[in-house]
Amino acid sequence: MAIISSKQPTPEKSAAAGMDALADALVEVGEVQAELPLNTTAQAPKKGRRSVKAKDDDTIDSSSEKAAEKISTELLKGDRAVEETQKQEEKIRPQTIQEYVGQKDLKDVLDIAIRAAKARGECLDHLLLYGPPGLGKTTMSLILAGEMGVNCKISSAPSLERPRDIVGLLMNLQEGDVLFIDEIHRLPRVTEEILYPAMEDFRIEITIGKGQTARTRSLPLPKFTMVGATTRVGALSSPLRDRFGLIQRLRFYELDELTQIVLRTSSLLETPIDHAGAEEIARRARGTPRIANRLLKRVRDYAQVKESGSINQTIASEALELFNVDPCGLDWTDRRMLSVMIERFNGGPVGLETMAASTGEDAQTIEEVYEPYLMQIGYLARTPRGRVATAAAWKHLGFDMPSNQLTLLG
């Protein structure tokens, strides 16, 4: 466990904590120095040379420390391209609830919660957002922090493998901060149990020592707001799910909402586009803003290379056909799955493993990635006997549906 975090702020223990932190820092510097190439002036002394001048030792130590500091600084800087991408994504994200397009019911609920919390001078209650990926769960957490005037710490469940990871994250929170954990259903069991008292009583329990000498310390935490995001709300344990005061679902977006999102993003990216072109992109975005923004960037690249000027419906359609995205948002794999079912199995029913073998796709990928959208738009049906292509799928792909197939769907 995180023993450093469990020390009380007495002079003796504070000094011990400072010594431990200093020792850790020295170990890290030593590891960096061990990876450095040997300096020509720092090579082993030749035979017959029994000592080195103290001045040379100081020079060697100073140059090694500077080199280690330089390497550490470069490692912390990261790639500039990644920073530019993050800045662009932050630019696209809406900053207030008024700028957030769609999810009207969710916005009304959160607007009331924010106003009530501000009036009482309290932090927001814990919030759980669930729904398909790409609908704006992370964006909503950032908006909540902005509306409350606090910081937002973002993390993901897979990165919180060890108990000390979540303890360090909680101890660094300030009063009223928003802690966003993505894919919260993937939290390890031990980490999840640490969150129970943190969410309910704003404290964490730290165990010090082992065996008969073990003892538990309770450390207070500043009051904070936990925002959890998940695509599988059923995978959350009941104790964790019940500790959220607000549980809200994000739905897919309508065509007019996605059109507004495309127009807003194009203005931020300084990409000229008319309403018809934005609607053409929104129609193929599967009801998901993330996909709409991604398709807009691909259409922008096409228009720039072809020197087509402003994006209209014709240019958007040509670009998306080039990227194998049809007017219903189906890509090449979606159409291949439906075509295989119709051409080889007369529309079904056909088993999942048979479909996987026929298309060369993994069975889990078909079930979790491709089938949900096909079922959502009514092109695929799951029956006790297997998967069946619906009449809408036959019509979309240009096939005539036989009369005997209608009895399977009825």
Side-chain angles (χ1 to χ4, degrees):
M1 306 299 289
I3 299 178
I4 294 178
S5 300
S6 65
K7 294 186 179 294
Q8 300 297 322
T10 59
E12 296 82 0
K13 294 185 178 181
S14 298
M19 293 300 294
D20 291 341
L22 179 60
D24 292 339
L26 291 175
V27 170
E28 293 179 1
V29 173
E31 292 174 353
V32 174
Q33 290 179 356
E35 298 177 359
L36 292 175
L38 289 176
N39 194 301
T40 54
T41 60
Q43 292 180 356
K46 296 180 180 178
K47 185 181 286 187
R49 251 179 121 177
R50 303 178 59 87
S51 62
V52 183
K53 294 181 180 180
K55 185 176 181 180
D56 294 339
D57 287 340
D58 295 339
T59 304
I60 293 169
D61 294 339
S62 178
S63 61
S64 299
E65 290 177 0
K66 289 181 179 179
E69 184 179 356
K70 182 178 180 181
I71 289 179
S72 302
T73 304
E74 292 298 327
L75 290 174
L76 291 175
K77 280 183 179 179
D79 190 4
R80 291 185 177 180
V82 176
E83 293 180 358
E84 292 298 327
T85 303
Q86 292 176 349
K87 289 180 180 179
Q88 189 180 55
E89 292 296 331
E90 292 175 0
K91 181 180 177 182
I92 293 176
R93 294 182 189 274
Q95 304 299 318
T96 62
I97 289 186
Q98 288 72 23
E99 294 180 4
Y100 193 98
V101 179
Q103 308 294 342
K104 183 179 182 302
D105 295 338
L106 173 63
K107 289 195 299 183
D108 292 342
V109 170
L110 295 182
D111 185 51
I112 292 175
I114 290 172
R115 292 186 180 184
K118 284 184 175 180
R120 294 192 300 266
E122 301 175 354
C123 62
L124 279 171
D125 205 352
H126 302 305
L127 171 65
L128 177 64
L129 300 174
Y130 70 96
L135 298 185
K137 296 183 283 291
T138 305
T139 301
M140 184 56 72
S141 68
L142 294 173
I143 289 177
L144 290 178
E147 294 286 344
M148 294 297 295
V150 297
N151 297 322
C152 181
K153 303 293 181 64
I154 299 178
S155 184
S156 60
S159 66
L160 303 174
E161 295 180 354
R162 296 167 295 186
R164 67 181 183 184
D165 296 331
I166 187 64
V167 170
L169 194 60
L170 292 172
M171 293 297 294
N172 288 326
L173 291 175
Q174 303 296 324
E175 188 75 21
D177 279 358
V178 174
L179 175 60
F180 176 77
I181 299 181
D182 198 11
E183 298 297 325
I184 196 171
H185 64 273
R186 297 176 61 184
L187 274 177
R189 184 65 179 175
V190 177
T191 304
E192 181 179 318
E193 291 178 352
I194 293 176
L195 284 177
Y196 293 164
M199 296 175 64
E200 203 164 17
D201 303 322
F202 300 106
R203 60 180 175 83
I204 54 175
E205 304 291 341
I206 301 296
T207 303
I208 305 174
K210 295 181 180 180
Q212 295 181 350
T213 61
R215 60 188 186 279
T216 302
R217 293 287 183 85
S218 179
L219 299 180
L221 295 174
K223 293 186 177 181
F224 67 97
T225 299
M226 167 82 74
V227 178
T230 178
T231 56
R232 299 172 56 191
V233 67
L236 265 71
S237 62
S238 295
L240 179 61
R241 186 171 58 248
D242 294 343
R243 280 173 168 81
F244 287 97
L246 294 169
I247 301 178
Q248 296 292 318
R249 182 183 187 277
L250 277 75
R251 58 171 178 80
F252 285 104
Y253 287 66
E254 301 295 334
L255 178 61
D256 59 335
E257 296 172 343
L258 285 174
T259 303
Q260 294 180 39
I261 292 174
V262 172
L263 290 171
R264 177 183 177 276
T265 304
S266 62
S267 64
L268 294 174
L269 297 178
E270 298 179 356
T271 301
I273 186 173
D274 60 16
H275 189 275
E279 186 174 349
E280 185 67 23
I281 295 175
R283 185 179 294 109
R284 309 186 188 212
R286 300 190 175 202
T288 306
R290 181 181 296 166
I291 297 178
N293 290 331
R294 187 182 69 204
L295 294 179
L296 172 62
K297 293 177 182 178
R298 302 291 73 78
V299 175
R300 178 187 62 173
D301 296 342
Y302 178 87
Q304 183 177 357
V305 172
K306 298 293 184 179
E307 298 181 355
S308 304
S310 178
I311 299 174
N312 53 32
Q313 184 177 7
T314 303
I315 295 174
S317 178
E318 292 176 356
L320 294 176
E321 289 294 337
L322 177 65
F323 292 108
N324 291 316
V325 181
D326 69 9
C328 290
L330 303 183
D331 58 16
W332 182 85
T333 307
D334 297 321
R335 293 193 298 272
R336 173 170 168 74
M337 286 180 53
L338 295 175
S339 299
V340 167
M341 293 178 64
I342 293 173
E343 294 176 345
R344 299 185 185 179
F345 303 100
N346 197 28
V350 56
L352 178 61
E353 296 296 333
T354 304
M355 279 295 301
S358 301
T359 58
E361 293 286 343
D362 179 65
Q364 185 177 3
T365 303
I366 292 176
E367 189 173 21
E368 297 181 0
V369 178
Y370 298 112
E371 284 188 351
Y373 181 68
L374 294 176
M375 295 177 64
Q376 176 194 345
I377 61 177
Y379 283 4
L380 184 70
R382 287 180 182 173
T383 68
R385 297 174 58 186
R387 275 70 174 167
V388 178
T390 63
W394 286 72
K395 182 179 180 181
H396 178 71
L397 297 178
F399 293 99
D400 294 328
M401 189 174 186
S403 57
N404 62 342
Q405 187 70 13
L406 295 174
T407 58
L408 294 173
L409 297 173

